[in-house]
């Protein structure tokens, strides 16, 4: 059961309108790494979680918080759109630089949204449920959640330098702080999963090792670049992070199978097959007759 509290988690009020920045702020609302994505991702992971208790609560708690962030950003975008020029003439009349403001607006904010935020990114591309991952494996999902928070915080940090509005910057500071917490939170949750003996690397840990294949290929770094710079990395020697193998570096990767030669395809599919073209045509005609 959900309930809506009318108060915001943090103030979302700019010091003045800025329709051009409202367009940019759409990215952290409806972009691939925006608040709509993480809110739905955490909620779906929680709803699908078959493990009652702290992990399910963690997912649903943070998913609910992120839905509050959606409301904050929608509110900020709507306020940034106040008094925006709806025509080039209007923009120039109100401000000598109004032509630039008008050019920087997203017309869909007014045509589709009536002066409000949209479930879309900064280019106006609609948000997609394809951005959401809820695999049912908590270790796989938590590792993706770290990435989602890192990408989201990165974008908010970039937006911070694209506005001079003190009110907007205050909200962005709050979001940056919460993204800091969430990155650390998911990293802690990954460690907790391991401590509780629920999941280990590699994902899925429950799948049995592939015997000689794991031994030969599971921990070998293949160097396909010229030179051996990559051999200096942690990934090329020493114990693997899963504690189950030793990294090896191979600077001369070799093919393990011959060049594939495919048989002719079904002529009714009209692919370009080997052999005499006339014979293919005759075969098709015989099948059609």
């Amino acid at each position: 059961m959900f309930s809506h509290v009318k108060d915001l988690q943090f103030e979302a009020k700019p010091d003045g309108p800025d329709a051009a920045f409202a367009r940019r702020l759409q990215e952290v609302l409806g972009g691939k790494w925006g608040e709509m994505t993480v809110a739905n991702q955490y909620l779906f992971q929680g709803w699908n979680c078959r493990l009652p208790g702290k992990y399910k609560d963690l997912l649903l708690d943070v998913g609910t918080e992120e839905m509050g962030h959606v409301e904050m950003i929608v509110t900020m975008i709507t306020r940034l759109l106040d008094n925006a020029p709806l025509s080039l003439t209007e923009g120039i009349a109100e401000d000598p630089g109004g032509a630039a403001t008008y050019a920087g607006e997203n017309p869909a904010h007014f045509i589709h949204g009536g002066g409000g935020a949209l479930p879309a990114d900064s280019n106006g591309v609609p948000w997609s449920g394809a951005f959401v991952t809820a695999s049912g494996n908590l270790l796989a999902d938590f590792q993706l959640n770290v990435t989602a928070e890192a990408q989201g915080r990165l974008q908010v940090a970039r937006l911070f330098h694209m506005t001079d509005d003190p009110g907007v910057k205050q909200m962005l500071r709050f979001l940056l702080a919460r993204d800091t917490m969430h990155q650390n939170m998911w990293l802690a949750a990954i460690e907790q999963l391991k401590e509780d003996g629920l999941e280990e690397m590699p994902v899925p840990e429950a799948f049995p090792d592939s015997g000689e294949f794991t031994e030969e290929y599971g921990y070998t770094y293949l160097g396909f670049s010229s030179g051996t710079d990559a051999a200096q990395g942690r990934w090329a020697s020493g114990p693997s992070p899963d504690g189950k193998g030793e990294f090896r570096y191979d600077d001369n990767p070799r093919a393990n199978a011959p060049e594939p030669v495919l048989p002719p395809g079904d002529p009714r599919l009209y692919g370009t097959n080997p052999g005499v073209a006339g014979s293919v045509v005759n075969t098709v005609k015989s099948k059609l007759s």
Side-chain angles (χ1 to χ4, degrees), residues 28-253:
V28 292
L29 172 63
K32 178 179 180 180
W33 302 110
E35 300 289 358
M36 289 183 64
T37 295
V38 291
N40 281 282
Q41 180 157 299
Y42 303 159
L43 289 173
F44 270 91
Q45 288 174 3
W47 290 327
N48 290 341
C49 182
R50 298 176 182 272
L51 190 65
K54 61 187 176 186
Y55 293 108
K56 193 177 186 77
D57 282 359
L58 167 67
L59 287 160
L60 295 177
D61 284 346
V62 71
T64 302
E65 179 188 0
E66 298 288 10
M67 197 60 74
H69 294 177
V70 170
E71 184 175 13
M72 286 167 52
I73 295 176
V74 166
T75 302
M76 180 65 81
I77 289 173
T78 301
R79 286 171 166 171
L80 285 167
L81 293 171
D82 285 348
N83 302 314
L86 299 183
S87 69
L88 180 58
T89 302
E90 184 178 316
I92 295 173
E94 294 181 359
D95 177 7
T101 301
Y102 178 74
E105 295 174 351
N106 178 0
H109 273 151
F110 311 101
I111 299 170
H112 299 166
L118 299 167
D121 67 12
S122 54
N123 288 317
V125 179
W127 181 81
S128 170
F131 299 154
V132 170
T133 298
S135 72
N137 182 290
L138 292 183
L139 184 53
D141 285 350
F142 288 178
Q143 291 184 119
L144 177 62
N145 294 350
V146 175
T147 299
E149 293 290 344
Q151 292 290 342
R153 191 173 192 275
L154 178 62
Q155 292 185 353
V156 173
R158 288 169 173 168
L159 284 165
F160 187 86
H161 298 291
M162 298 181 187
T163 179
D164 297 318
D165 189 295
V168 175
K169 282 182 175 287
Q170 280 297 92
M171 187 193 76
L172 295 181
R173 287 189 181 98
F174 174 80
L175 293 175
L176 288 164
R178 292 309 295 162
D179 286 348
T180 297
M181 168 58 189
H182 291 165
Q183 284 187 50
N184 282 290
M185 178 191 70
W186 292 124
L187 288 169
I190 289 169
E191 293 307 311
Q192 184 80 81
L193 277 174
K194 296 176 181 179
E195 291 170 9
D196 288 346
L198 292 171
E199 293 291 348
E200 285 289 347
M201 286 289 290
V203 177
E205 191 265 342
F207 187 84
D209 282 342
S210 303
E212 69 276 10
F213 285 94
T214 300
E215 174 63 27
E216 185 173 357
Y217 304 115
Y219 299 97
T220 301
Y221 181 91
L222 301 179
F224 289 101
S225 300
S226 59
T228 58
D229 289 348
Q232 302 170 25
R234 170 66 181 82
W235 50 81
S237 64
S240 59
D242 63 11
K244 300 176 182 179
E246 290 280 329
F247 285 133
R248 297 181 296 274
Y249 179 80
D250 183 353
D251 63 353
N252 186 31

Side-chain angles (χ1 to χ4, degrees), residues 1-9 64 67-72 75:
M1 182 177 72
F2 285 82
S3 61
H4 176 250
V5 177
K6 294 182 180 179
D7 296 333
L8 296 177
Q9 188 182 15
T64 302
M67 197 60 74
H69 294 177
V70 170
E71 184 175 13
M72 286 167 52
T75 302

